[in-house]
Amino acid sequence: MTIIDGKTIARSIREDAKKRTETLRTQGVVPCLAVILAGDDPASVSYVTGKEKALAEAGMASRDIRVNADISEAELLSLIAALNEDAAVHGILVQLPLPKHIREDRVIDAVSPQKDVDGFHPASVGNMVLGRDGFLPCTPNGIVRLLRTLAVPVCGAHAVIVGRSNLVGRPLSILLTRKDVNATVTVCHTGTPDLAYHTRQADILIAAAGKAGLIAGDMVKEGAVVIDVGVNRVSDIAAKKGYRLRGDVDFEAVSRKASFITPVPGGVGPMTIAMLLLNVVRAAEKTRDA
Ligand code: GUN
C-alpha cells in the first residue's frame, strides 16, 4: 500500500507555474489573482490564506479582498464587475460558501469566463462537458493529474465517485469519462441505496461526500485506489486547535485494503492549490498572447 504524497506531486506542478511566471514577468506581465472572501468562516480563511501563500511563492500577485459577511449581493456583484474590467487582474476567485443572503449563482455568473480560474461559471462547465478549451475546476482536475502522475491505470477502470457536488463529484465524473482518460464512472449520492454495493465495485474510489469516515474498510475492494476529498473538522480536545481534520474515508481501516490512498491532509488539498496556480498562469498567458 502506498500513501499518496500529494504535497510532493503538487510541488513539481507549482515549480512549473513558477517558471512560467518568471517568463511572463520578463515580458512585463505579473500573473494576478483577485481573491474575495466574504466573512470570516475559519475554514475559508485558512483556504484563502493557503492559496495566497502559494501564489506568492510562485512569484504571482494576489489582491486580497476581504469584505464583511453582511455585504449586499449588489455590492459584491459590482466589486466583481470592476475586477472583470481590471486588466492587471487575470483571475478572480470568490471563496465559497457565501453568506446565506447572497445568491451563489448570481455571483458565479458575474465572473468573466476569461478570468474564471475556479472553472465554476456555466460557460466553463459547458466547455468542460463539451471537451472544449476552458478553465477546468481545480479539485477534479487535480485528482485526474494525481492519478496520471501515479501512473494508475485509469483507462478502462471503474471509478466510483461518492458525492455529486458542483465543486467535485459532478465535474470529476465528466473529466474521468473524457476520451483521453476513459474510465467508466458511477456517481453515488445521498439517494443511492446500498452505497457499499457500489463502492465495492470500484477500481478507483473517490470519496467526496463531506461526511467524516463515511467509507469504512468493508466498503472497499482489495487493491483499490482510494482518493479522499473530504476535509471535515472533527472536535478533538487533545489537538492544539481543538479539532483535527478527517477525511471521508476511515483511513486506518481502508489503508489495509487499498493499493494507493490519499491522506487528509496532504493528499488532494495541495493538488487543488497547484491546479489553481496553473489556471492563473494560463489566464495571464492568454492575455499576453491575445
Ligand atoms: N470552497 C471550497 N473549495 C473551493 C474552491 O475550490 N474554490 C472556491 N472559490 N471556493 C471553495
Side-chain angles (χ1 to χ4, degrees):
M1 188 272 302
T2 304
I3 298 176
I4 297 170
D5 183 356
K7 266 195 202 160
T8 300
I9 297 168
R11 193 174 300 130
S12 75
I13 298 168
R14 286 166 63 162
E15 280 303 315
D16 173 39
K18 188 175 181 179
K19 284 198 190 101
R20 286 160 67 184
T21 299
E22 280 162 14
T23 304
L24 280 163
R25 279 178 168 270
T26 65
Q27 295 161 338
V29 178
V30 181
C32 175
L33 176 68
V35 181
I36 303 176
L37 174 59
D40 55 5
D41 171 65
S44 291
V45 170
S46 141
Y47 289 142
V48 162
T49 308
K51 289 170 189 177
E52 288 172 346
K53 190 164 158 261
L55 288 159
E57 280 173 18
M60 297 187 215
S62 60
R63 295 258 186 100
D64 178 62
I65 303 166
R66 309 224 175 176
V67 296
N68 283 330
D70 63 1
I71 186 174
S72 73
E73 184 182 285
E75 279 176 291
L76 183 56
L77 293 178
S78 72
L79 193 57
I80 294 168
L83 293 167
N84 283 338
E85 295 302 316
D86 189 334
V89 171
H90 304 100
I92 301 170
L93 183 149
V94 184
Q95 186 65 29
L96 303 178
L98 287 164
K100 294 253 177 310
H101 65 282
I102 296 174
R103 288 168 291 185
E104 210 163 271
D105 287 359
R106 297 291 172 107
V107 171
I108 287 171
D109 291 0
V111 174
S112 161
Q114 273 74 43
K115 300 191 179 188
D116 178 36
V117 291
D118 255 332
F120 293 167
H121 191 282
S124 303
V125 178
N127 286 329
M128 173 184 67
V129 172
L130 297 169
R132 298 190 198 179
D133 190 38
F135 290 112
L136 297 176
C138 302
T139 301
N141 199 23
I143 292 169
V144 172
R145 176 66 82 97
L146 200 57
L147 295 171
R148 282 227 168 104
T149 307
L150 296 165
V152 165
V154 182
C155 178
H158 184 189
V160 176
I161 301 170
V162 184
R164 60 174 150 199
S165 71
N166 289 342
L167 256 67
V168 184
R170 206 186 304 271
L172 181 60
S173 72
I174 304 293
L175 293 183
L176 287 173
T177 53
R178 278 185 162 190
K179 265 238 164 79
D180 60 336
V181 183
N182 251 356
T184 299
V185 174
T186 298
V187 181
C188 302
H189 43 74
T190 46
T192 304
D194 201 355
L195 176 63
Y197 166 79
H198 296 280
T199 58
R200 277 189 212 112
Q201 318 292 319
D203 302 313
I204 302 169
L205 178 61
I206 298 118
K211 265 194 180 172
L214 173 68
I215 307 297
D218 63 0
M219 294 170 72
V220 178
K221 181 167 78 176
E222 200 71 46
V225 174
V226 179
I227 306 293
D228 191 350
V229 190
V231 188
N232 307 291
R233 289 186 173 204
V234 296
S235 66
D236 180 353
I237 45 167
K240 209 167 32 175
K241 293 180 176 167
Y243 70 88
R244 66 192 168 86
L245 295 182
R246 235 189 123 199
D248 286 0
V249 173
D250 178 348
F251 185 87
E252 216 261 317
V254 172
S255 59
R256 281 188 247 124
K257 291 183 111 177
S259 57
F260 288 90
I261 186 168
T262 59
V264 176
V268 173
M271 293 300 292
T272 298
I273 294 184
M275 300 321 271
L276 174 67
L277 297 189
L278 285 188
N279 277 352
V280 176
V281 93
R282 192 165 138 235
E285 287 167 351
K286 281 190 177 186
T287 62
R288 174 201 59 191
D289 300 338

